[in-house]
Amino acid sequence: MRVLSGIQPTGNLHLGNYLGAIRQWVAMQDAMGADDQCLFFLADLHALTVAIDPADLAASTIEMAATLLAAGIDPARAILFNQSRVSAHAELCWILQGTARMGWLNRMTQWKDKAGKNREGASVGLFTYPVLQAADVLAYQATHVPVGEDQKQHLELARDIATKFNTDFAVELFPLPEPLVSAEAPRIMSLRDGTAKMSKSDPSDMSRINLIDDDDLIVQKIRKAKTDPEPLPATMAELEARAEARNLVTIYAALSGEAPAEVLARFAGQGFGAFKPALAELAVATLGPIRDRLTRLLDDRAEVGRQLAEGAARAHALAAPTLRAAKQAVGLQIG
Ligand code: ADP
Ligand code: TRP
């Protein structure tokens, strides 16, 4: 198995990112066998497809890398790097732009959503974003790609590109990557509105728990989380119409590693006056150590940079033979 995934370095990570994505990465890394390989990267080239502040991008890349390390990504077992430092991504992307079709990219829902009505004003990079993503995956001949539901379409495209390239140039170079959409990954909702996803773009900081938040802030955010006056029921089905209550139970279960039904079995009949302090205590116990590691790492950003450089060197070595074979397949002179 060769597992690869990326995340855009767009600022502070929150509980939704942790429970919905990063924790799955750590679990995959921990489950790897001796012949398997895990690669995780900060997609800093993808970040250039929308307006960015260069200083912010540089800082976010280091901060997100530090967060991944703090959350348990271990450079001894997984390769962690930033995309732009491994030139194979951009080089293979250009080659694959000869293979990808306008019609395929035109159908991408992320392109349609992000460009909105202003397609003429969107960057070319936003349109070809999925080709770079395909290059990310195919450069390492990755077999499994842990992603959220919304990225499945991009993986499908990577498979189409791989198939067409293999056929057009009569090679068996790119294996078809499988998306891994974890059934266990919960969708965490805003603490202020149980129908909206917890997101870094929510203007209210009280809507999310950031992985950098201190203990008091975590407790305060949970205490102020929107709820209702009813006691907790005995089954999740009875929480169907109570989005905020359901979200807090989902968070508790994800943090404790239990099924939501087990959590309810313990708290049924109790109100939020009892449930919230228990959730706050659990959140502090689980997230506190991650935050403490993160704070230490942020005190030595140069060291995080060195770790990324080391990861990039290993990633480069893994991608080099594939890039070389792709160049050879299309007839580029490689000396
Ligand atoms: P945001 O919505 O905060 O901008 P991103 O879109 O950058 O987050 O997502 C990064 C990763 O975290 C993706 O894999 C995404 O599926 C996951 N993720 C983001 N928000 C949540 C959430 N509220 N619950 C579960 N997973 C989430
Ligand atoms: N597009 C992905 C996202 O927004 C991030 C990403 C970039 C990625 N390259 C990738 C994910 C390669 C998996 C594999 O979440």
Side-chain angles (χ1 to χ4, degrees):
M1 259 174 108
R2 198 170 267 185
V3 174
L4 170 135
S5 197
I7 188 165
Q8 282 204 49
T10 41
N12 87 45
L13 287 170
H14 52 75
L15 185 65
N17 302 131
Y18 177 62
L19 295 174
I22 296 161
R23 213 170 56 159
Q24 272 63 245
W25 293 9
V26 175
M28 299 246 25
Q29 161 201 286
D30 293 347
M32 286 288 106
D35 296 331
D36 302 325
Q37 188 70 258
C38 263
L39 297 114
F40 300 115
F41 66 93
L42 291 318
D44 51 4
L45 292 175
H46 276 115
L48 302 180
T49 59
V50 292
I52 44 107
D53 175 324
D56 279 355
L57 177 57
S60 296
T61 303
I62 291 293
E63 285 161 18
M64 297 267 288
T67 311
L68 295 177
L69 291 166
I73 298 297
D74 174 5
R77 286 180 291 161
I79 301 181
L80 177 68
F81 63 103
N82 57 309
Q83 187 188 29
S84 64
R85 231 191 282 238
V86 182
S87 61
H89 295 250
E91 289 188 67
L92 185 60
C93 176
W94 185 260
I95 292 172
L96 297 180
Q97 298 211 52
T99 301
R101 305 287 96 184
M102 293 287 288
W104 299 355
L105 295 180
N106 255 324
R107 284 195 283 277
M108 295 293 115
T109 54
Q110 182 177 295
W111 154 250
K112 289 191 252 184
D113 289 349
K114 286 201 178 172
K117 289 199 169 59
N118 185 21
R119 288 198 184 185
E120 294 291 312
S123 74
V124 173
L126 192 64
F127 185 66
T128 60
Y129 180 116
V131 186
L132 178 58
Q133 185 163 350
D136 297 337
V137 174
L138 300 178
Y140 302 95
Q141 300 180 311
T143 56
H144 296 82
V145 184
V147 283
E149 192 66 40
D150 63 323
Q151 294 296 312
K152 269 170 80 175
Q153 196 187 32
H154 287 170
L155 257 289
E156 208 46 59
L157 182 90
R159 294 167 63 93
D160 290 344
I161 292 176
T163 305
K164 181 165 165 57
F165 186 98
N166 288 342
T167 310
D168 286 356
F169 300 104
V171 288
E172 281 179 41
L173 180 57
F174 299 125
L176 302 189
E178 291 286 343
L180 287 180
V181 180
S182 169
E184 283 115 72
R187 199 169 139 80
I188 305 300
M189 310 311 279
S190 155
L191 299 179
R192 311 298 305 167
D193 172 1
T195 63
K197 184 176 97 118
M198 183 178 286
S199 171
K200 63 175 162 290
S201 39
D202 192 313
S204 165
D205 193 60
M206 294 303 280
S207 72
R208 65 185 158 261
I209 294 174
N210 304 303
L211 295 182
I212 195 71
D213 287 350
D214 65 29
D215 291 351
D216 288 347
L217 194 51
I218 296 174
V219 172
Q220 196 193 353
K221 284 177 175 177
I222 292 174
R223 193 173 54 230
K224 296 208 170 143
K226 189 174 165 199
T227 43
D228 56 45
E230 302 295 315
L232 283 165
T235 63
M236 280 306 264
E238 292 166 81
L239 284 180
E240 200 60 50
R242 296 167 62 188
E244 285 81 16
R246 191 178 58 219
N247 186 39
L248 293 187
V249 172
T250 303
I251 293 175
Y252 190 108
L255 289 173
S256 71
E258 293 165 285
E262 292 175 78
V263 176
L264 285 177
R266 246 191 353 274
F267 286 97
Q270 300 190 43
F272 286 96
F275 186 72
K276 279 182 167 182
L279 175 59
E281 194 183 325
L282 175 63
V284 166
T286 330
L287 303 176
I290 296 177
R291 189 227 23 255
D292 291 344
R293 280 195 293 277
L294 174 57
T295 312
R296 276 198 300 279
L297 287 160
L298 291 177
D299 281 342
D300 193 356
R301 289 170 184 242
E303 171 56 23
V304 177
R306 273 192 293 280
Q307 303 230 24
L308 288 179
E310 237 168 74
R314 292 162 66 201
H316 171 78
L318 278 182
T322 312
L323 178 62
R324 199 179 163 80
K327 286 182 175 174
Q328 202 143 31
V330 299
L332 294 175
Q333 294 292 310
I334 48 178

